[in-house]
Amino acid sequence: MGRLSTMRSLVMKFGGNALGTVNALSQLLGIVTRETQRWDRVVVVVSALDGVTDRLLEAAQLAQVDNLRGYRRIAANLRSRHFALVDELPLDPPARTALAADIDQLLSQMLDACRAIAKNMSDELLASASDEVVAVGEQLSARIIAALLRQQGLRGAAVDSRELIITDAVHGNANPDFAQTAQRMQERLLPMLQRDIVPVVTGYIGATSDGETTTLGRGGTDYTASVISALLPADALWIWTNVAGMMSADPRELQDARVIARLSYDEAADLAYFGARLLHARMIAPLAERQVPLRIKSIFAPDAAGSLVAGPPKTAEEQLKAVTSVLGLSLRRRMSGSLAGVNRLVGNTLFKTLGMRSEVMIASQSSGGSFLCLVIPTSIGIDGVDRLQRALQAKMGEYPEKMPWQIETVSLVTAIGSRLDSAPQLVGQVLGALAGIEILALSLGASHCSVSVVVRQADARQAVSKIHALVLKSGSNSG
Ligand code: ASP
Ligand code: MG
């Protein structure tokens, strides 16, 4: 097998927003067909169809309160949605029938897991049953896409990633064990590739070494694709989405946001971490370690370059590239004193509200002990801040005399750029641009690619647009 090392392999991940419609799937088909002709090996990793994971999480929550009608209704909706899609796809009758049976079987597994949840199990069992419910989304999409590829004459085969991605038992936000996963890939994925099969791997899902289902955190399909790319190792990873690439700002917020042509791994990691929801925050590290270049592309513009994430270019560049904004919570009170008690209370509430998934990305506390600010990752879902705020308020209501804290939502606004450590003038420009906006806290990213400020939520828009003006200027200077 001496030739293996010279084989060029490509991993392609298709996100939910690139999968929901017949139109999107026909783009996918064109892309996979073309790339299988250009590369020796192609691995496809897929998310659930757009919005499906949200519905499944909702079903698991309804099951917890024993709302049988609620989770059954969701299963019925998911059934009609997947059936409707399959009906429109160019498939032979036997392929269509087989897929219909698959969909029904997977949804009946989902209902079994919901029923198990409804039986008031221990927290541990509950978390693993919820992951089983949620895992159905990617299994549905992988089977549909594999069938579509086969119809096109490609040797597509759905692969359940629970056979490949072995993780710890942190349900809902599990971490892959690279050694065990590499072993599994050797045993299960390589033989398929050697037979020219195009594996269609379920993203997001893993399993503990005992076979319990786990998931890798919201947006985890990126992470699955990254782990597979790093371990293969692949010559490239392409992430297909419905936007043109990584953007200099959230295009829904700023119309002049534009595609970032090139980012270093550190910049991409900071961008993902500080709120660009496009990439899973932990996906960059494995790629950086193996120097696997990552491209982010739109399925609707397959020939456009998109964004390239790779090692830094030879000539050092000092440039602001993007600005992000995420929500957080601040707790403030006028008097001075230690924050130890509050830290504990917040920590407990955080854990109880958000479970294992809780992970504070920035905590800042003023010297007088009168200000505490938390920012929690977007991977907990958009309603996370809301839930935490309600829980904290309830908790503090229990001890009003001890905890006269005011809770308010704040925004963490982050400027991302190359070599901010060696370009103090860039940091100075960012802070200068924010003149007139009250900065509640400030922090420099450990990777030297980011500087973050905490501002009142009401000031966030303005802060973002002022920093973005610098980004546009910075890009045109060096470009
Ligand atoms: N389907 C999962 C989610 O919605 C994973 C992913 O899309 O990457 O979070
Ligand atoms: Mg995503």
Side-chain angles (χ1 to χ4, degrees):
M1 291 277 142
R3 260 190 72 216
L4 284 189
S5 55
T6 60
M7 291 244 162
R8 299 201 7 103
S9 45
L10 172 68
V11 175
M12 292 198 284
K13 176 253 173 173
F14 291 86
N17 53 19
L19 294 174
T21 61
V22 179
N23 187 13
L25 287 182
S26 86
Q27 291 298 108
L28 173 148
L29 200 53
I31 291 164
V32 176
T33 305
R34 181 165 85 169
E35 299 313 327
T36 47
Q37 287 155 11
R38 292 184 176 171
W39 301 76
D40 297 310
R41 293 168 170 185
V42 170
V43 178
V44 172
V45 183
V46 293
S47 295
L49 306 188
D50 208 9
V52 167
T53 304
D54 291 330
R55 303 310 316 277
L56 290 168
L57 282 168
E58 206 182 302
Q61 273 160 15
L62 290 169
Q64 276 188 53
V65 294
D66 207 5
N67 185 338
L68 174 75
R69 283 185 58 197
Y71 63 73
R72 274 204 188 146
R73 196 187 54 237
I74 291 180
N77 287 343
L78 290 175
R79 182 175 190 272
S80 17
R81 164 129 189 240
H82 287 85
F83 268 75
L85 184 67
V86 166
D87 271 345
E88 286 186 72
L89 294 175
L91 294 169
D92 283 348
R96 206 182 298 280
T97 313
L99 261 185
D102 276 358
I103 295 172
D104 277 332
Q105 185 217 350
L106 287 166
L107 289 171
S108 104
Q109 282 171 20
M110 168 209 158
L111 287 172
D112 285 345
C114 283
R115 270 189 290 271
I117 291 173
K119 282 195 193 130
N120 286 328
M121 30 179 44
S122 66
D123 282 359
E124 160 95 50
L125 286 176
L126 189 86
S128 83
S130 298
D131 274 343
E132 252 164 59
V133 172
V134 174
V136 165
E138 271 70 11
Q139 296 179 73
L140 287 165
S141 62
R143 306 244 182 135
I144 294 175
I145 289 156
L148 197 60
L149 296 184
R150 285 195 296 270
Q151 192 72 54
Q152 191 73 7
L154 294 167
R155 309 188 67 193
V159 176
D160 187 332
S161 54
R162 285 176 291 195
E163 294 187 4
L164 294 180
I165 310 287
I166 305 305
T167 71
D168 61 16
V170 182
H171 289 283
N173 201 18
N175 302 291
D177 177 318
F178 284 77
Q180 289 190 63
T181 300
Q183 174 79 33
R184 292 294 185 94
M185 283 178 50
Q186 199 71 32
E187 292 164 6
R188 321 252 156 124
L189 201 63
L190 263 171
M192 296 180 110
L193 292 171
Q194 284 162 349
R195 285 161 51 211
D196 275 339
I197 290 173
V198 179
V200 180
V201 181
T202 56
Y204 183 49
I205 315 169
T208 62
S209 45
D210 307 334
E212 247 179 50
T213 302
T214 55
T215 52
L216 308 181
R218 295 308 305 270
T221 302
D222 289 341
Y223 200 17
T224 311
S226 147
V227 170
I228 290 177
S229 304
L231 293 178
L232 211 49
D235 295 278
L237 166 59
W238 293 357
I239 288 193
W240 291 96
T241 170
N242 63 352
V243 295
M246 291 195 88
M247 306 291 288
S248 58
D250 186 337
R252 288 164 307 183
E253 252 175 65
L254 292 184
Q255 285 193 337
D256 52 359
R258 55 172 192 203
V259 177
I260 311 171
R262 187 180 174 123
L263 299 97
S264 68
Y265 292 110
D266 281 345
E267 287 165 348
D270 274 7
L271 198 50
Y273 184 70
F274 286 111
R277 297 174 65 98
L278 195 56
L279 293 183
H280 185 282
R282 282 176 289 151
M283 74 160 306
I284 299 292
L287 300 178
E289 200 172 304
R290 295 292 186 117
Q291 296 287 305
V292 178
L294 162 67
R295 262 188 200 284
I296 297 125
K297 289 161 77 84
S298 164
I299 50 163
F300 299 113
D303 295 322
S307 297
L308 171 67
V309 179
K314 295 232 168 52
T315 52
E317 27 150 35
E318 289 169 0
Q319 196 187 324
L320 282 180
K321 292 195 176 162
V323 55
T324 60
S325 156
V326 285
L327 285 183
L329 285 183
S330 82
L331 312 181
R332 55 171 74 237
R333 68 174 177 185
R334 296 235 160 65
M335 62 197 71
S336 58
S338 156
L339 281 174
V342 170
N343 276 338
R344 205 170 325 114
L345 180 136
V346 169
N348 286 340
T349 313
L350 201 64
F351 187 79
K352 283 214 186 102
T353 317
L354 308 174
M356 297 287 214
R357 278 174 266 182
S358 66
E359 171 196 328
V360 178
M361 52 197 281
I362 168 175
S364 141
Q365 141 179 3
S366 72
S367 55
S370 62
F371 178 72
L372 173 71
C373 170
L374 307 165
V375 177
I376 44 184
T378 44
S379 58
I380 61 162
I382 11 180
D383 64 330
V385 171
D386 265 6
R387 274 186 290 142
L388 184 61
Q389 187 158 13
R390 266 182 271 122
L392 276 173
Q393 229 126 28
K395 199 79 204 152
M396 298 207 171
E398 288 172 25
Y399 316 94
E401 62 311 326
K402 282 196 214 136
M403 301 289 174
W405 290 82
Q406 235 179 296
I407 304 175
E408 98 184 281
T409 348
V410 291
S411 294
L412 178 77
V413 174
T414 302
I416 288 146
S418 29
R419 317 202 42 119
L420 293 183
D421 54 331
S422 62
Q425 75 281 4
L426 282 182
V427 178
Q429 279 171 24
V430 169
L431 297 179
L434 298 178
I437 295 175
E438 190 183 350
I439 294 176
L440 306 171
L442 171 77
S443 104
L444 277 166
S447 60
H448 307 293
C449 292
S450 62
V451 50
S452 301
V453 294
V454 176
V455 297
R456 297 217 154 72
Q457 200 188 341
D459 290 334
R461 248 197 138 76
Q462 206 195 350
V464 164
S465 88
K466 287 189 160 170
I467 296 175
H468 195 248
L470 286 178
V471 169
L472 293 180
K473 220 168 85 194
S474 173
S476 56
N477 283 346
S478 72

